[in-house]
Amino acid sequence: MDRQRTERIRPVAGRSRQARWIFVAATVLYLAVGAWLGAGHGFLMGDALSRVAATQATLFSRDPHLSAIGFVFTPLTSLAQLPMVALAHWFPAITTWSLSGALMSALFMGGAVAMVFGIGTDRGAPLWLSGGVAAVFALNPMVVFYGGNGMSEAPFLFCLCLALRRLIRWVRTDDANDLTVCGIALGLAYLTRYDALAPAAAAAVIVAVLTYRRSRGESHRWHCVIMDFVLIVLPVAAAFLVWAATSWLITGQAFQQFSSQYGNSSILQQSGATGTTDVTAALEYSTAATLILGPALPLLVPIVGALAIRRRDGQVVVPILLCGAVLAFQAFSYLSGSTFAFLRFYVAAIPLAAVLVLQVAPVRGFPPSRRPGRHAEVAPPDPVRTTGKHRASAPLGGRAVGMALALALLAASVPLTALGMSSQAISVQEYSLGAVVFPDPDDASDRSADQRRIAATFSTERRLANYLDALALPRGAVLMDTVYGFAVVVASHRPDQFVVPSDRDFVRMLNRPAERGVKYILAVPNTGRGTSDAVNRRYPTMYENGSGIATLAVEAPNDGAGQPRWRLYRVLGAG
């Protein structure tokens, strides 16, 4: 191999040690925050808690089996918790306080921070810029919150950032390994959230167009396009088909998120919020959410775009199209009435801004590559290299100032994001954090009362679980649906005492509870989301009068926001 070829494929010096320390530090921070919010203050997110319940059901329920993990949500978030939940027999807090979810999200979000740092090192950006951007990204209040609360945002951001890093690298290396890893990352992203199909489609377009342009004049041009296209699409298609086929074989429904009574579409209908028909209002909310999470984007996009045109740097297309596809998908979903107005759905704006700041730096060296392809770029000359008396101090100084200003712009967006998270109108799930982070017992305003009520969500379910545990009931003694009841199951130290819909004999137990050993039925009002509750569907008047098969034993008013007033009925004829 000649000298020029050797110089071209020589990778820039890696910063793997710094990346490992960044990952460890970020993970510890997020785990500490998650434990402080969950176990310390009882601040738990419903979706995160339901995933812990699904994972627990596969191991410790009355009828443990893998399909108990459920098919409404994609499975990666729950599957990743299996090793941790397996230890709950010895450390109950892993499930009762959702610590498995906190550890899962902390590990994934720590990985996302490391990926952001890696994008900078691949580009050859100065250490102070790569580290600074990674630090600002890591300390963004949305990243910190969702890095510790067990939600799906952390694994989704990790997969998205991994895909961004590898696709950006592939643009320069033409390495099939980078393209393969990018496809796998997008496939895993789909197993985390359905909206990963949008960046997967964007990545497929980028790869097809770039390979077509690179292969100009080659006899096997379309073969090259098809091969690269398959590498990026196949993992996503496999994840899509396998998950849909598995769901159909087990439940009879391929896409329960859209067809099941427990999916988002049904929840919207049950709650009376069938989606907005006002295009202007929907676009205003989506734009506001994007700008809250990425306030610097209106400046960064044109600046980095202009620099990319001047430098002929096509890498900038990758983050704009992949992250932009996620944001566009969420805006369309909200407009069509198939999802909620949640700020977290627009979280892709945060890595987009971070990566754009890194792309203000000029390209230096050549990224690590196991096997550069035929169309790999020749490494550009080092812009900071000087010879003799001809020093490049002025250009270097200008570049450094520009990078510093971009980093300062990104850092200045953090308090704006924190301010946006305190808005009740925009951040319906996050604004109640103020009652935990900045408690004020003397504040008697309606806003403060609402914050405290949201922060106390699932506290009543915890007390109800403790009450049932104290009765020392046998296995399968309490029948209920998990529409609301998942929080009771997770908080209990005896999950096998419950009969829940994931049990394969649930319908038989529901139809003849007294004959099959059920002693209690836990009921919720037959209104709103309660109309989808299996108990209410089988016994429509259970909550009001016990439907002639049970008598009221306990009624529990709820302290939490959006949670039902529970009634525990004792089954007539139960032993």
Side-chain angles (χ1 to χ4, degrees):
M1 185 180 294
D2 57 44
R3 179 182 178 85
Q4 181 180 3
R5 175 69 174 172
T6 303
E7 291 295 326
R8 182 169 70 86
I9 67 171
R10 181 179 298 164
V12 296
R15 293 171 180 161
S16 58
R17 180 175 298 178
Q18 293 95 326
R20 285 195 294 268
W21 280 111
I22 287 172
F23 166 75
V24 171
T27 300
V28 170
L29 169 65
Y30 302 143
L31 180 59
V33 170
W36 178 72
L37 287 174
H41 293 274
F43 191 104
L44 301 167
M45 301 289 285
D47 283 356
L49 209 57
S50 68
R51 286 172 169 87
V52 175
T55 309
Q56 183 188 55
T58 67
L59 298 174
F60 300 116
S61 66
R62 172 179 158 273
D63 180 24
H65 55 285
L66 187 58
S67 62
I69 206 165
F71 294 91
V72 173
F73 298 108
T74 44
L76 183 61
T77 308
S78 297
L79 289 175
Q81 298 183 53
L82 275 174
M84 295 167 274
V85 171
L87 303 175
H89 181 74
W90 298 277
F91 306 101
I94 289 176
T95 53
T96 58
W97 290 109
S98 191
L99 293 183
S100 65
L103 180 55
M104 178 277 300
S105 60
L107 288 168
F108 275 115
M109 197 65 88
V113 176
M115 287 300 109
V116 171
F117 178 78
I119 291 172
T121 60
D122 290 347
R123 190 174 178 84
L127 179 59
W128 64 265
L129 180 64
S130 299
V133 170
V136 173
F137 174 82
L139 296 175
N140 186 291
M142 279 288 286
V143 172
V144 173
F145 179 48
Y146 284 96
N149 64 13
M151 297 285 280
S152 62
E153 275 62 37
F156 180 76
L157 280 185
F158 168 74
C159 294
L160 180 61
C161 290
L162 176 58
L164 285 173
R165 183 181 184 185
R166 287 305 187 127
L167 192 56
I168 290 172
R169 186 188 288 184
W170 174 82
V171 170
R172 299 193 61 210
T173 66
D174 191 32
D175 188 342
N177 292 287
D178 291 328
L179 205 56
T180 302
V181 174
C182 177
I184 293 173
L186 291 170
L188 292 174
Y190 174 77
L191 294 178
T192 302
R193 281 190 6 190
Y194 290 105
D195 46 338
L197 290 177
V205 171
I206 293 172
V207 169
V209 171
L210 185 54
T211 302
Y212 183 82
R213 289 172 57 87
R214 284 173 169 173
S215 305
R216 185 181 293 112
E218 297 184 10
S219 58
H220 298 87
R221 187 177 194 180
W222 281 106
H223 292 166
C224 295
V225 173
I226 293 172
M227 180 59 68
D228 286 351
F229 183 83
V230 167
L231 285 176
I232 198 75
V233 168
L234 185 59
V236 183
F240 177 87
L241 293 174
V242 170
W243 181 243
T246 304
S247 177
W248 178 75
L249 287 171
I250 294 177
T251 70
Q253 296 175 328
F255 303 102
Q256 286 210 357
Q257 177 64 259
F258 310 103
S259 57
S260 168
Q261 64 191 34
Y262 303 111
N264 280 347
S265 299
S266 296
I267 293 174
L268 283 166
Q269 294 176 356
Q270 293 155 12
S271 62
T274 55
T276 177
T277 56
D278 189 337
V279 176
T280 302
L283 292 178
E284 285 179 352
Y285 178 83
S286 298
T287 302
T290 301
L291 292 179
I292 284 174
L293 299 180
L297 288 176
L299 292 175
L300 286 175
V301 171
I303 291 173
V304 177
L307 288 173
I309 293 173
R310 179 182 176 184
R311 298 167 177 166
R312 296 183 179 180
D313 179 9
Q315 298 176 60
V316 69
V317 174
V318 175
I320 290 177
L321 288 187
L322 264 66
C323 295
V326 178
L327 298 173
F329 179 89
Q330 292 298 345
F332 175 77
S333 297
Y334 178 51
L335 175 62
S336 62
S338 59
T339 191
F340 305 93
F342 289 162
L343 182 64
R344 62 186 176 90
F345 288 161
Y346 300 84
V347 73
I350 300 175
L352 173 58
V355 175
L356 288 180
V357 171
L358 291 171
Q359 291 181 329
V360 171
V363 174
R364 293 177 54 196
F366 196 71
S369 177
R370 291 186 176 183
R371 196 172 185 179
R374 290 179 300 168
H375 303 288
E377 295 181 2
V378 175
D382 191 334
V384 303
R385 184 178 299 163
T386 59
T387 57
K389 298 181 180 180
H390 301 285
R391 303 183 65 85
S393 58
L396 176 59
R399 293 189 187 99
V401 170
M403 290 185 284
L405 288 176
L407 179 58
L409 183 63
L410 184 68
S413 67
V414 170
L416 295 177
T417 298
L419 182 64
M421 289 175 64
S422 67
S423 168
Q424 185 176 6
I426 298 293
S427 309
V428 295
Q429 291 185 301
E430 297 83 13
Y431 94 102
S432 59
L433 279 169
V436 176
V437 180
F438 306 107
D440 184 3
D442 298 327
D443 188 349
S445 65
D446 292 340
R447 173 187 171 87
S448 179
D450 188 45
Q451 286 181 316
R452 288 194 292 269
R453 186 170 173 81
I454 294 175
T457 302
F458 308 122
S459 59
T460 300
E461 286 72 16
R462 185 168 301 280
R463 292 195 299 271
L464 187 55
N466 292 337
Y467 172 81
L468 292 170
D469 287 350
L471 296 179
L473 298 169
R475 293 176 73 255
V478 183
L479 186 144
M480 66 176 182
D481 198 347
T482 50
V483 172
Y484 288 108
F486 63 87
V488 178
V489 178
V490 168
S492 171
H493 292 266
R494 294 270 326 287
D496 62 346
Q497 69 183 309
F498 299 101
V499 181
V500 293
S502 62
D503 294 343
R504 285 167 286 195
D505 60 349
F506 176 76
V507 175
R508 293 193 298 270
M509 301 288 284
L510 179 64
N511 286 335
R512 301 182 183 276
E515 295 178 14
R516 297 185 179 273
V518 175
K519 298 180 181 297
Y520 292 96
I521 295 177
L522 198 56
V524 297
N526 195 6
T527 57
R529 288 192 62 192
T531 58
S532 66
D533 187 285
V535 173
N536 286 331
R537 291 165 68 89
R538 177 63 179 85
Y539 304 106
T541 63
M542 172 62 70
Y543 186 80
E544 285 76 16
N545 54 34
S547 289
I549 66 167
T551 58
L552 182 64
V554 173
E555 184 170 19
N558 212 303
D559 297 331
Q563 295 298 105
R565 186 184 186 96
W566 293 97
R567 286 181 179 176
L568 182 67
Y569 279 89
R570 182 170 180 83
V571 176
L572 296 174

